[in-house]
Short mmCIF file of all heavy atoms in Angstrom, two decimals:
data_model
loop_
_atom_site.label_atom_id
_atom_site.label_comp_id
_atom_site.label_asym_id
_atom_site.label_seq_id
_atom_site.Cartn_x
_atom_site.Cartn_y
_atom_site.Cartn_z
N MET V 1 -24.49 -56.17 -75.41
CA MET V 1 -25.39 -55.05 -75.17
C MET V 1 -26.81 -55.59 -75.11
O MET V 1 -27.24 -56.32 -75.98
CB MET V 1 -25.22 -54.04 -76.30
CG MET V 1 -25.87 -52.72 -75.99
SD MET V 1 -25.64 -51.51 -77.29
CE MET V 1 -24.02 -50.91 -76.89
N GLY V 2 -27.56 -55.24 -74.07
CA GLY V 2 -28.91 -55.72 -73.90
C GLY V 2 -29.90 -54.97 -74.76
O GLY V 2 -29.60 -53.92 -75.32
N GLU V 3 -31.10 -55.49 -74.88
CA GLU V 3 -32.14 -54.88 -75.69
C GLU V 3 -32.49 -53.48 -75.18
O GLU V 3 -32.73 -52.58 -75.96
CB GLU V 3 -33.39 -55.74 -75.69
CG GLU V 3 -33.25 -57.01 -76.51
CD GLU V 3 -33.09 -56.71 -78.01
OE1 GLU V 3 -33.81 -55.85 -78.51
OE2 GLU V 3 -32.20 -57.33 -78.64
N GLU V 4 -32.52 -53.30 -73.87
CA GLU V 4 -32.88 -52.01 -73.29
C GLU V 4 -31.86 -50.93 -73.65
O GLU V 4 -32.21 -49.78 -73.79
CB GLU V 4 -33.01 -52.12 -71.76
CG GLU V 4 -34.21 -52.92 -71.31
CD GLU V 4 -35.53 -52.32 -71.78
OE1 GLU V 4 -35.69 -51.08 -71.73
OE2 GLU V 4 -36.41 -53.09 -72.19
N GLU V 5 -30.59 -51.30 -73.81
CA GLU V 5 -29.56 -50.32 -74.10
C GLU V 5 -29.65 -49.81 -75.52
O GLU V 5 -29.18 -48.73 -75.82
CB GLU V 5 -28.18 -50.93 -73.84
CG GLU V 5 -27.96 -51.25 -72.37
CD GLU V 5 -26.63 -51.92 -72.15
OE1 GLU V 5 -25.69 -51.65 -72.91
OE2 GLU V 5 -26.53 -52.73 -71.21
N LYS V 6 -30.25 -50.57 -76.44
CA LYS V 6 -30.33 -50.18 -77.83
C LYS V 6 -31.38 -49.11 -78.06
O LYS V 6 -31.33 -48.39 -79.04
CB LYS V 6 -30.67 -51.39 -78.72
CG LYS V 6 -29.55 -52.37 -78.85
CD LYS V 6 -29.92 -53.47 -79.80
CE LYS V 6 -28.81 -54.49 -79.94
NZ LYS V 6 -29.17 -55.54 -80.87
N LYS V 7 -32.34 -49.00 -77.18
CA LYS V 7 -33.42 -48.05 -77.35
C LYS V 7 -32.96 -46.66 -76.94
O LYS V 7 -32.32 -46.49 -75.93
CB LYS V 7 -34.64 -48.44 -76.53
CG LYS V 7 -35.25 -49.74 -76.97
CD LYS V 7 -36.38 -50.11 -76.06
CE LYS V 7 -36.75 -51.56 -76.27
NZ LYS V 7 -37.59 -52.06 -75.23
N GLY V 8 -33.37 -45.68 -77.72
CA GLY V 8 -33.03 -44.30 -77.42
C GLY V 8 -34.13 -43.67 -76.59
O GLY V 8 -35.14 -44.30 -76.29
N PRO V 9 -33.97 -42.42 -76.27
CA PRO V 9 -35.00 -41.73 -75.50
C PRO V 9 -36.29 -41.62 -76.31
O PRO V 9 -36.26 -41.36 -77.50
CB PRO V 9 -34.40 -40.35 -75.25
CG PRO V 9 -33.30 -40.20 -76.23
CD PRO V 9 -32.85 -41.58 -76.58
N GLY V 10 -37.39 -41.87 -75.67
CA GLY V 10 -38.68 -41.77 -76.34
C GLY V 10 -39.09 -43.00 -77.10
O GLY V 10 -40.18 -43.06 -77.64
N ALA V 11 -38.23 -44.00 -77.19
CA ALA V 11 -38.58 -45.22 -77.91
C ALA V 11 -39.51 -46.05 -77.04
O ALA V 11 -39.23 -46.27 -75.86
CB ALA V 11 -37.33 -46.03 -78.26
N PRO V 12 -40.65 -46.50 -77.59
CA PRO V 12 -41.58 -47.30 -76.80
C PRO V 12 -40.94 -48.61 -76.36
O PRO V 12 -40.07 -49.14 -77.05
CB PRO V 12 -42.75 -47.56 -77.73
CG PRO V 12 -42.41 -46.95 -79.04
CD PRO V 12 -41.09 -46.29 -78.95
N SER V 13 -41.37 -49.13 -75.23
CA SER V 13 -40.78 -50.35 -74.70
C SER V 13 -41.01 -51.55 -75.61
O SER V 13 -40.22 -52.46 -75.65
CB SER V 13 -41.31 -50.64 -73.30
OG SER V 13 -42.72 -50.77 -73.35
N GLY V 14 -42.10 -51.54 -76.38
CA GLY V 14 -42.40 -52.65 -77.28
C GLY V 14 -41.97 -52.38 -78.70
O GLY V 14 -42.50 -52.95 -79.64
N ALA V 15 -41.00 -51.49 -78.90
CA ALA V 15 -40.57 -51.13 -80.25
C ALA V 15 -39.92 -52.31 -80.94
O ALA V 15 -39.15 -53.06 -80.34
CB ALA V 15 -39.59 -49.97 -80.18
N GLY V 16 -40.24 -52.45 -82.22
CA GLY V 16 -39.64 -53.51 -83.02
C GLY V 16 -38.23 -53.13 -83.44
O GLY V 16 -37.77 -52.02 -83.17
N PRO V 17 -37.53 -54.03 -84.11
CA PRO V 17 -36.14 -53.76 -84.50
C PRO V 17 -36.00 -52.52 -85.38
O PRO V 17 -35.08 -51.74 -85.22
CB PRO V 17 -35.72 -55.00 -85.27
CG PRO V 17 -36.73 -56.04 -84.98
CD PRO V 17 -37.96 -55.35 -84.51
N GLU V 18 -36.94 -52.31 -86.32
CA GLU V 18 -36.84 -51.14 -87.19
C GLU V 18 -37.03 -49.85 -86.40
O GLU V 18 -36.42 -48.84 -86.70
CB GLU V 18 -37.85 -51.20 -88.33
CG GLU V 18 -39.32 -51.15 -87.92
CD GLU V 18 -39.89 -52.45 -87.39
OE1 GLU V 18 -39.24 -53.50 -87.53
OE2 GLU V 18 -40.99 -52.41 -86.81
N GLU V 19 -37.84 -49.87 -85.35
CA GLU V 19 -38.04 -48.68 -84.51
C GLU V 19 -36.79 -48.42 -83.68
O GLU V 19 -36.38 -47.30 -83.51
CB GLU V 19 -39.25 -48.88 -83.61
CG GLU V 19 -39.65 -47.63 -82.86
CD GLU V 19 -40.30 -46.58 -83.74
OE1 GLU V 19 -40.78 -46.92 -84.83
OE2 GLU V 19 -40.30 -45.41 -83.32
N ARG V 20 -36.18 -49.46 -83.17
CA ARG V 20 -34.95 -49.30 -82.39
C ARG V 20 -33.84 -48.73 -83.26
O ARG V 20 -33.08 -47.88 -82.83
CB ARG V 20 -34.51 -50.64 -81.79
CG ARG V 20 -35.25 -50.96 -80.52
CD ARG V 20 -34.66 -52.18 -79.84
NE ARG V 20 -35.76 -53.06 -79.53
CZ ARG V 20 -36.00 -54.22 -80.10
NH1 ARG V 20 -35.20 -54.70 -81.01
NH2 ARG V 20 -37.04 -54.94 -79.77
N ASP V 21 -33.75 -49.19 -84.51
CA ASP V 21 -32.70 -48.71 -85.41
C ASP V 21 -32.86 -47.23 -85.71
O ASP V 21 -31.90 -46.53 -85.95
CB ASP V 21 -32.72 -49.50 -86.72
CG ASP V 21 -32.24 -50.94 -86.53
OD1 ASP V 21 -31.58 -51.21 -85.51
OD2 ASP V 21 -32.53 -51.77 -87.41
N LEU V 22 -34.10 -46.75 -85.71
CA LEU V 22 -34.35 -45.35 -85.99
C LEU V 22 -33.64 -44.45 -84.99
O LEU V 22 -33.13 -43.39 -85.33
CB LEU V 22 -35.86 -45.07 -85.96
CG LEU V 22 -36.27 -43.61 -86.16
CD1 LEU V 22 -35.90 -43.14 -87.56
CD2 LEU V 22 -37.75 -43.46 -85.92
N TRP V 23 -33.59 -44.87 -83.73
CA TRP V 23 -33.02 -44.03 -82.68
C TRP V 23 -31.57 -44.38 -82.36
O TRP V 23 -30.93 -43.73 -81.56
CB TRP V 23 -33.86 -44.14 -81.41
CG TRP V 23 -35.24 -43.66 -81.65
CD1 TRP V 23 -36.36 -44.43 -81.76
CD2 TRP V 23 -35.66 -42.32 -81.87
NE1 TRP V 23 -37.44 -43.65 -82.02
CE2 TRP V 23 -37.05 -42.36 -82.09
CE3 TRP V 23 -35.01 -41.11 -81.91
CZ2 TRP V 23 -37.78 -41.20 -82.34
CZ3 TRP V 23 -35.75 -39.96 -82.15
CH2 TRP V 23 -37.11 -40.02 -82.36
N GLN V 24 -31.05 -45.40 -83.02
CA GLN V 24 -29.68 -45.82 -82.74
C GLN V 24 -28.71 -44.93 -83.50
O GLN V 24 -28.88 -44.68 -84.70
CB GLN V 24 -29.51 -47.28 -83.16
CG GLN V 24 -28.34 -47.97 -82.56
CD GLN V 24 -28.39 -49.46 -82.84
OE1 GLN V 24 -29.07 -49.89 -83.76
NE2 GLN V 24 -27.68 -50.24 -82.07
N ASP V 25 -27.72 -44.40 -82.84
CA ASP V 25 -26.74 -43.52 -83.48
C ASP V 25 -25.78 -44.31 -84.33
O ASP V 25 -25.46 -45.46 -84.04
CB ASP V 25 -25.95 -42.74 -82.43
CG ASP V 25 -26.78 -41.69 -81.73
OD1 ASP V 25 -27.79 -41.26 -82.29
OD2 ASP V 25 -26.39 -41.32 -80.61
N THR V 26 -25.30 -43.68 -85.39
CA THR V 26 -24.27 -44.29 -86.21
C THR V 26 -22.92 -44.04 -85.55
O THR V 26 -22.81 -43.31 -84.55
CB THR V 26 -24.27 -43.68 -87.62
OG1 THR V 26 -24.01 -42.29 -87.50
CG2 THR V 26 -25.59 -43.92 -88.31
N ASP V 27 -21.85 -44.61 -86.10
CA ASP V 27 -20.52 -44.42 -85.52
C ASP V 27 -20.13 -42.95 -85.51
O ASP V 27 -19.44 -42.50 -84.61
CB ASP V 27 -19.49 -45.22 -86.32
CG ASP V 27 -19.69 -46.72 -86.15
OD1 ASP V 27 -20.27 -47.12 -85.13
OD2 ASP V 27 -19.24 -47.47 -87.04
N ALA V 28 -20.57 -42.18 -86.51
CA ALA V 28 -20.22 -40.76 -86.59
C ALA V 28 -21.04 -39.92 -85.63
O ALA V 28 -20.74 -38.75 -85.43
CB ALA V 28 -20.41 -40.27 -88.02
N GLY V 29 -22.08 -40.47 -85.05
CA GLY V 29 -22.90 -39.73 -84.12
C GLY V 29 -24.01 -38.93 -84.77
O GLY V 29 -24.73 -38.23 -84.10
N SER V 30 -24.14 -39.01 -86.08
CA SER V 30 -25.20 -38.29 -86.77
C SER V 30 -26.21 -39.28 -87.33
O SER V 30 -25.89 -40.44 -87.60
CB SER V 30 -24.62 -37.44 -87.89
OG SER V 30 -23.94 -38.26 -88.81
N PRO V 31 -27.47 -38.83 -87.52
CA PRO V 31 -28.49 -39.74 -88.02
C PRO V 31 -28.24 -40.13 -89.48
O PRO V 31 -27.64 -39.37 -90.25
CB PRO V 31 -29.78 -38.94 -87.90
CG PRO V 31 -29.38 -37.54 -87.72
CD PRO V 31 -27.98 -37.52 -87.23
N THR V 32 -28.71 -41.30 -89.84
CA THR V 32 -28.57 -41.77 -91.22
C THR V 32 -29.58 -41.07 -92.12
O THR V 32 -30.52 -40.42 -91.65
CB THR V 32 -28.79 -43.29 -91.31
OG1 THR V 32 -30.16 -43.57 -90.97
CG2 THR V 32 -27.86 -44.05 -90.38
N THR V 33 -29.41 -41.21 -93.41
CA THR V 33 -30.33 -40.61 -94.37
C THR V 33 -31.74 -41.14 -94.17
O THR V 33 -32.71 -40.38 -94.19
CB THR V 33 -29.86 -40.89 -95.81
OG1 THR V 33 -28.53 -40.38 -95.96
CG2 THR V 33 -30.77 -40.25 -96.83
N GLN V 34 -31.86 -42.44 -93.96
CA GLN V 34 -33.19 -43.04 -93.77
C GLN V 34 -33.84 -42.50 -92.50
O GLN V 34 -35.03 -42.24 -92.47
CB GLN V 34 -33.10 -44.56 -93.72
CG GLN V 34 -34.45 -45.24 -93.63
CD GLN V 34 -35.34 -44.92 -94.82
OE1 GLN V 34 -34.88 -44.89 -95.95
NE2 GLN V 34 -36.61 -44.66 -94.57
N GLN V 35 -33.05 -42.32 -91.45
CA GLN V 35 -33.59 -41.76 -90.21
C GLN V 35 -34.11 -40.35 -90.45
O GLN V 35 -35.18 -39.99 -89.98
CB GLN V 35 -32.52 -41.76 -89.12
CG GLN V 35 -32.18 -43.13 -88.59
CD GLN V 35 -30.99 -43.12 -87.68
OE1 GLN V 35 -30.05 -42.33 -87.86
NE2 GLN V 35 -30.98 -44.00 -86.69
N MET V 36 -33.36 -39.55 -91.18
CA MET V 36 -33.77 -38.17 -91.46
C MET V 36 -35.04 -38.16 -92.32
O MET V 36 -35.93 -37.34 -92.10
CB MET V 36 -32.65 -37.41 -92.18
CG MET V 36 -31.44 -37.16 -91.29
SD MET V 36 -31.83 -36.22 -89.80
CE MET V 36 -32.23 -34.65 -90.51
N ARG V 37 -35.14 -39.08 -93.27
CA ARG V 37 -36.35 -39.16 -94.10
C ARG V 37 -37.56 -39.52 -93.25
O ARG V 37 -38.64 -38.96 -93.40
CB ARG V 37 -36.16 -40.18 -95.21
CG ARG V 37 -35.25 -39.73 -96.30
CD ARG V 37 -35.10 -40.77 -97.37
NE ARG V 37 -34.22 -40.31 -98.41
CZ ARG V 37 -33.46 -41.08 -99.15
NH1 ARG V 37 -33.49 -42.40 -99.00
NH2 ARG V 37 -32.68 -40.57 -100.08
N THR V 38 -37.38 -40.47 -92.35
CA THR V 38 -38.48 -40.90 -91.48
C THR V 38 -38.90 -39.75 -90.56
O THR V 38 -40.10 -39.50 -90.38
CB THR V 38 -38.05 -42.12 -90.64
OG1 THR V 38 -37.66 -43.16 -91.52
CG2 THR V 38 -39.19 -42.60 -89.76
N ILE V 39 -37.94 -39.04 -90.01
CA ILE V 39 -38.25 -37.91 -89.14
C ILE V 39 -39.00 -36.84 -89.92
O ILE V 39 -40.00 -36.29 -89.45
CB ILE V 39 -36.96 -37.33 -88.52
CG1 ILE V 39 -36.37 -38.33 -87.51
CG2 ILE V 39 -37.22 -35.98 -87.87
CD1 ILE V 39 -34.97 -38.01 -87.08
N GLY V 40 -38.55 -36.54 -91.13
CA GLY V 40 -39.21 -35.55 -91.97
C GLY V 40 -40.64 -35.95 -92.31
O GLY V 40 -41.56 -35.13 -92.27
N GLN V 41 -40.82 -37.24 -92.63
CA GLN V 41 -42.16 -37.74 -92.95
C GLN V 41 -43.09 -37.62 -91.74
O GLN V 41 -44.22 -37.16 -91.87
CB GLN V 41 -42.08 -39.20 -93.40
CG GLN V 41 -43.42 -39.80 -93.74
CD GLN V 41 -43.30 -41.26 -94.14
OE1 GLN V 41 -42.22 -41.86 -94.05
NE2 GLN V 41 -44.39 -41.85 -94.56
N ARG V 42 -42.61 -37.99 -90.58
CA ARG V 42 -43.42 -37.90 -89.37
C ARG V 42 -43.76 -36.44 -89.04
O ARG V 42 -44.86 -36.14 -88.60
CB ARG V 42 -42.70 -38.55 -88.19
CG ARG V 42 -42.66 -40.06 -88.30
CD ARG V 42 -41.94 -40.66 -87.12
NE ARG V 42 -41.93 -42.11 -87.25
CZ ARG V 42 -41.34 -42.90 -86.38
NH1 ARG V 42 -40.75 -42.41 -85.31
NH2 ARG V 42 -41.35 -44.21 -86.56
N ARG V 43 -42.80 -35.56 -89.26
CA ARG V 43 -43.04 -34.13 -88.99
C ARG V 43 -44.12 -33.60 -89.94
O ARG V 43 -45.01 -32.86 -89.51
CB ARG V 43 -41.74 -33.35 -89.16
CG ARG V 43 -41.91 -31.87 -88.88
CD ARG V 43 -40.60 -31.15 -88.93
NE ARG V 43 -39.77 -31.58 -87.81
CZ ARG V 43 -38.45 -31.55 -87.80
NH1 ARG V 43 -37.80 -31.11 -88.85
NH2 ARG V 43 -37.78 -31.96 -86.74
N ARG V 44 -44.03 -33.95 -91.23
CA ARG V 44 -45.05 -33.50 -92.18
C ARG V 44 -46.42 -34.03 -91.82
O ARG V 44 -47.42 -33.30 -91.89
CB ARG V 44 -44.66 -33.92 -93.60
CG ARG V 44 -43.53 -33.09 -94.19
CD ARG V 44 -43.28 -33.41 -95.64
NE ARG V 44 -42.87 -34.78 -95.87
CZ ARG V 44 -41.63 -35.23 -95.80
NH1 ARG V 44 -40.65 -34.38 -95.51
NH2 ARG V 44 -41.34 -36.49 -96.02
N GLU V 45 -46.50 -35.29 -91.43
CA GLU V 45 -47.78 -35.87 -91.02
C GLU V 45 -48.34 -35.15 -89.79
O GLU V 45 -49.53 -34.86 -89.72
CB GLU V 45 -47.62 -37.37 -90.72
CG GLU V 45 -47.37 -38.20 -91.97
CD GLU V 45 -47.03 -39.65 -91.65
OE1 GLU V 45 -46.97 -40.02 -90.46
OE2 GLU V 45 -46.79 -40.40 -92.60
N ALA V 46 -47.47 -34.83 -88.84
CA ALA V 46 -47.92 -34.13 -87.63
C ALA V 46 -48.39 -32.72 -87.97
O ALA V 46 -49.40 -32.25 -87.42
CB ALA V 46 -46.77 -34.07 -86.61
N GLU V 47 -47.70 -32.05 -88.89
CA GLU V 47 -48.12 -30.70 -89.29
C GLU V 47 -49.47 -30.73 -90.00
O GLU V 47 -50.31 -29.86 -89.77
CB GLU V 47 -47.06 -30.06 -90.18
CG GLU V 47 -45.82 -29.66 -89.40
CD GLU V 47 -44.70 -29.15 -90.30
OE1 GLU V 47 -44.81 -29.26 -91.55
OE2 GLU V 47 -43.71 -28.64 -89.76
N ARG V 48 -49.68 -31.73 -90.87
CA ARG V 48 -50.98 -31.86 -91.54
C ARG V 48 -52.10 -32.10 -90.54
O ARG V 48 -53.18 -31.51 -90.62
CB ARG V 48 -50.94 -33.02 -92.55
CG ARG V 48 -50.44 -32.63 -93.92
CD ARG V 48 -50.77 -33.69 -94.95
NE ARG V 48 -50.21 -34.99 -94.62
CZ ARG V 48 -49.04 -35.44 -95.07
NH1 ARG V 48 -48.31 -34.70 -95.86
NH2 ARG V 48 -48.60 -36.62 -94.73
N LYS V 49 -51.82 -32.95 -89.57
CA LYS V 49 -52.82 -33.25 -88.55
C LYS V 49 -53.12 -32.01 -87.71
O LYS V 49 -54.29 -31.73 -87.40
CB LYS V 49 -52.31 -34.39 -87.65
CG LYS V 49 -53.34 -34.98 -86.75
CD LYS V 49 -52.79 -36.21 -86.05
CE LYS V 49 -53.83 -36.86 -85.19
NZ LYS V 49 -53.32 -38.05 -84.51
N LEU V 50 -52.10 -31.26 -87.36
CA LEU V 50 -52.29 -30.03 -86.60
C LEU V 50 -53.12 -29.03 -87.40
O LEU V 50 -54.05 -28.42 -86.88
CB LEU V 50 -50.95 -29.41 -86.22
CG LEU V 50 -51.00 -28.06 -85.52
CD1 LEU V 50 -51.77 -28.16 -84.20
CD2 LEU V 50 -49.60 -27.52 -85.30
N ASP V 51 -52.79 -28.87 -88.69
CA ASP V 51 -53.57 -27.95 -89.54
C ASP V 51 -55.03 -28.36 -89.60
O ASP V 51 -55.92 -27.52 -89.56
CB ASP V 51 -52.98 -27.91 -90.95
CG ASP V 51 -51.67 -27.13 -91.02
OD1 ASP V 51 -51.42 -26.33 -90.10
OD2 ASP V 51 -50.92 -27.34 -91.99
N GLN V 52 -55.27 -29.66 -89.70
CA GLN V 52 -56.64 -30.16 -89.75
C GLN V 52 -57.38 -29.82 -88.45
O GLN V 52 -58.52 -29.35 -88.48
CB GLN V 52 -56.65 -31.67 -89.98
CG GLN V 52 -58.03 -32.26 -90.07
CD GLN V 52 -58.00 -33.77 -90.28
OE1 GLN V 52 -56.94 -34.38 -90.32
NE2 GLN V 52 -59.15 -34.36 -90.41
N HIS V 53 -56.73 -30.03 -87.31
CA HIS V 53 -57.36 -29.73 -86.03
C HIS V 53 -57.63 -28.23 -85.88
O HIS V 53 -58.66 -27.82 -85.36
CB HIS V 53 -56.49 -30.22 -84.87
CG HIS V 53 -56.51 -31.70 -84.68
ND1 HIS V 53 -57.63 -32.38 -84.25
CD2 HIS V 53 -55.56 -32.64 -84.87
CE1 HIS V 53 -57.35 -33.67 -84.18
NE2 HIS V 53 -56.11 -33.85 -84.55
N LEU V 54 -56.68 -27.42 -86.34
CA LEU V 54 -56.86 -25.97 -86.26
C LEU V 54 -58.03 -25.51 -87.13
O LEU V 54 -58.82 -24.65 -86.73
CB LEU V 54 -55.58 -25.25 -86.68
CG LEU V 54 -54.41 -25.37 -85.70
CD1 LEU V 54 -53.15 -24.75 -86.30
CD2 LEU V 54 -54.76 -24.71 -84.38
N GLU V 55 -58.16 -26.10 -88.33
CA GLU V 55 -59.28 -25.76 -89.21
C GLU V 55 -60.62 -26.16 -88.57
O GLU V 55 -61.59 -25.41 -88.62
CB GLU V 55 -59.12 -26.44 -90.57
CG GLU V 55 -58.08 -25.80 -91.45
CD GLU V 55 -58.44 -24.38 -91.85
OE1 GLU V 55 -59.62 -24.11 -92.13
OE2 GLU V 55 -57.53 -23.53 -91.87
N GLU V 56 -60.65 -27.35 -87.97
CA GLU V 56 -61.87 -27.80 -87.31
C GLU V 56 -62.24 -26.87 -86.15
O GLU V 56 -63.40 -26.52 -85.98
CB GLU V 56 -61.71 -29.23 -86.81
CG GLU V 56 -61.66 -30.26 -87.92
CD GLU V 56 -61.33 -31.66 -87.42
OE1 GLU V 56 -61.16 -31.86 -86.20
OE2 GLU V 56 -61.23 -32.56 -88.27
N ALA V 57 -61.25 -26.46 -85.39
CA ALA V 57 -61.51 -25.55 -84.26
C ALA V 57 -61.99 -24.19 -84.77
O ALA V 57 -62.89 -23.58 -84.18
CB ALA V 57 -60.25 -25.38 -83.43
N LYS V 58 -61.42 -23.74 -85.87
CA LYS V 58 -61.82 -22.46 -86.45
C LYS V 58 -63.27 -22.52 -86.91
O LYS V 58 -64.04 -21.59 -86.66
CB LYS V 58 -60.90 -22.13 -87.63
CG LYS V 58 -61.18 -20.81 -88.28
CD LYS V 58 -60.19 -20.57 -89.41
CE LYS V 58 -60.49 -19.29 -90.13
NZ LYS V 58 -59.57 -19.08 -91.27
N HIS V 59 -63.66 -23.61 -87.55
CA HIS V 59 -65.04 -23.76 -88.02
C HIS V 59 -66.02 -23.84 -86.85
O HIS V 59 -67.11 -23.27 -86.91
CB HIS V 59 -65.19 -24.99 -88.92
CG HIS V 59 -64.51 -24.83 -90.25
ND1 HIS V 59 -64.82 -23.83 -91.13
CD2 HIS V 59 -63.51 -25.54 -90.83
CE1 HIS V 59 -64.06 -23.93 -92.20
NE2 HIS V 59 -63.25 -24.96 -92.05
N LYS V 60 -65.62 -24.51 -85.79
CA LYS V 60 -66.48 -24.59 -84.61
C LYS V 60 -66.66 -23.21 -83.99
O LYS V 60 -67.74 -22.84 -83.55
CB LYS V 60 -65.90 -25.55 -83.58
CG LYS V 60 -66.06 -27.00 -83.97
CD LYS V 60 -65.50 -27.93 -82.90
CE LYS V 60 -65.64 -29.37 -83.30
NZ LYS V 60 -65.07 -30.28 -82.30
N ALA V 61 -65.57 -22.43 -83.95
CA ALA V 61 -65.64 -21.09 -83.38
C ALA V 61 -66.51 -20.18 -84.25
O ALA V 61 -67.28 -19.38 -83.74
CB ALA V 61 -64.24 -20.51 -83.24
N GLU V 62 -66.40 -20.32 -85.56
CA GLU V 62 -67.22 -19.52 -86.47
C GLU V 62 -68.69 -19.87 -86.33
O GLU V 62 -69.55 -18.99 -86.39
CB GLU V 62 -66.77 -19.72 -87.91
CG GLU V 62 -65.43 -19.08 -88.23
CD GLU V 62 -64.93 -19.43 -89.61
OE1 GLU V 62 -65.56 -20.27 -90.29
OE2 GLU V 62 -63.89 -18.88 -90.01
N ALA V 63 -68.98 -21.12 -86.12
CA ALA V 63 -70.37 -21.55 -85.96
C ALA V 63 -70.95 -21.03 -84.65
O ALA V 63 -72.13 -20.73 -84.57
CB ALA V 63 -70.45 -23.07 -86.00
N ALA V 64 -70.13 -20.88 -83.63
CA ALA V 64 -70.59 -20.39 -82.33
C ALA V 64 -70.74 -18.87 -82.32
O ALA V 64 -71.56 -18.34 -81.59
CB ALA V 64 -69.63 -20.83 -81.24
N ASP V 65 -69.98 -18.15 -83.11
CA ASP V 65 -70.00 -16.69 -83.12
C ASP V 65 -71.36 -16.09 -83.47
O ASP V 65 -71.81 -15.18 -82.78
CB ASP V 65 -68.93 -16.13 -84.05
CG ASP V 65 -67.54 -16.21 -83.44
OD1 ASP V 65 -67.47 -16.40 -82.21
OD2 ASP V 65 -66.56 -16.10 -84.18
N PRO V 66 -72.07 -16.52 -84.51
CA PRO V 66 -73.36 -15.90 -84.82
C PRO V 66 -74.36 -15.99 -83.65
O PRO V 66 -75.12 -15.06 -83.43
CB PRO V 66 -73.85 -16.69 -86.02
CG PRO V 66 -72.62 -17.22 -86.65
CD PRO V 66 -71.67 -17.46 -85.53
N ASP V 67 -74.34 -17.05 -82.91
CA ASP V 67 -75.21 -17.19 -81.75
C ASP V 67 -74.89 -16.13 -80.70
O ASP V 67 -75.77 -15.54 -80.09
CB ASP V 67 -75.11 -18.58 -81.13
CG ASP V 67 -75.63 -19.66 -82.07
OD1 ASP V 67 -76.46 -19.31 -82.94
OD2 ASP V 67 -75.22 -20.81 -81.92
N ASP V 68 -73.62 -15.88 -80.48
CA ASP V 68 -73.19 -14.89 -79.50
C ASP V 68 -73.60 -13.49 -79.92
O ASP V 68 -74.01 -12.67 -79.12
CB ASP V 68 -71.67 -14.94 -79.29
CG ASP V 68 -71.21 -16.22 -78.63
OD1 ASP V 68 -72.06 -16.85 -77.94
OD2 ASP V 68 -70.04 -16.58 -78.76
N GLN V 69 -73.51 -13.19 -81.21
CA GLN V 69 -73.84 -11.85 -81.71
C GLN V 69 -75.35 -11.59 -81.63
O GLN V 69 -75.77 -10.48 -81.38
CB GLN V 69 -73.37 -11.70 -83.15
CG GLN V 69 -71.86 -11.68 -83.25
CD GLN V 69 -71.38 -11.67 -84.70
OE1 GLN V 69 -72.17 -11.78 -85.63
NE2 GLN V 69 -70.07 -11.59 -84.88
N LYS V 70 -76.17 -12.61 -81.83
CA LYS V 70 -77.62 -12.45 -81.78
C LYS V 70 -78.08 -12.07 -80.37
O LYS V 70 -78.99 -11.28 -80.21
CB LYS V 70 -78.33 -13.71 -82.23
CG LYS V 70 -78.22 -13.97 -83.71
CD LYS V 70 -78.92 -15.26 -84.07
CE LYS V 70 -78.71 -15.59 -85.54
NZ LYS V 70 -79.31 -16.89 -85.91
N THR V 71 -77.45 -12.61 -79.36
CA THR V 71 -77.88 -12.35 -77.98
C THR V 71 -77.47 -10.96 -77.54
O THR V 71 -78.07 -10.39 -76.65
CB THR V 71 -77.32 -13.40 -77.01
OG1 THR V 71 -75.89 -13.40 -77.12
CG2 THR V 71 -77.87 -14.77 -77.32
N GLU V 72 -76.41 -10.39 -78.16
CA GLU V 72 -75.94 -9.06 -77.77
C GLU V 72 -76.85 -7.97 -78.32
O GLU V 72 -76.93 -6.90 -77.75
CB GLU V 72 -74.51 -8.86 -78.28
CG GLU V 72 -73.50 -9.72 -77.57
CD GLU V 72 -72.10 -9.55 -78.17
OE1 GLU V 72 -71.91 -8.68 -79.02
OE2 GLU V 72 -71.22 -10.31 -77.79
N SER V 73 -77.53 -8.16 -79.45
CA SER V 73 -78.33 -7.12 -80.09
C SER V 73 -79.59 -6.80 -79.37
O SER V 73 -80.22 -7.48 -78.70
CB SER V 73 -78.71 -7.56 -81.50
OG SER V 73 -77.53 -7.73 -82.25
#
């Protein structure tokens, strides 16, 4: 089996062995415990980052609102 065949969908072309193993299916066809932990960790990190971006956007919108209200009066 060639190196290209070991990579799953979405795996970067320069992925190291540990990255390739993350996407490689087990004999049963289900992900391993370590794979599920890694997926969960990445999901939590992505959610934290999204929350941070949403908070920043909210603060920017709040800062812009008083200017808009002053011009309407």
Side-chain angles (χ1 to χ4, degrees):
M1 193 178 278
E3 287 294 317
E4 290 299 319
E5 294 177 30
K6 289 184 181 181
K7 296 176 195 166
S13 59
E18 65 281 348
E19 188 72 20
R20 278 188 229 110
D21 290 341
L22 177 65
W23 299 107
Q24 199 170 20
D25 289 337
T26 61
D27 292 336
S30 59
T32 65
T33 302
Q34 185 60 42
Q35 288 171 327
M36 292 301 292
R37 287 180 180 151
T38 302
I39 291 167
Q41 180 182 6
R42 289 180 179 178
R43 181 175 292 154
R44 286 187 298 274
E45 290 172 0
E47 288 174 351
R48 273 195 302 266
K49 192 172 183 179
L50 175 61
D51 287 340
Q52 181 181 2
H53 286 292
L54 290 174
E55 285 295 321
E56 289 173 1
K58 182 178 177 183
H59 290 301
K60 286 181 181 178
E62 288 173 354
D65 284 343
D67 294 335
D68 292 337
Q69 291 174 355
K70 288 179 185 176
T71 57
E72 291 176 7
S73 298

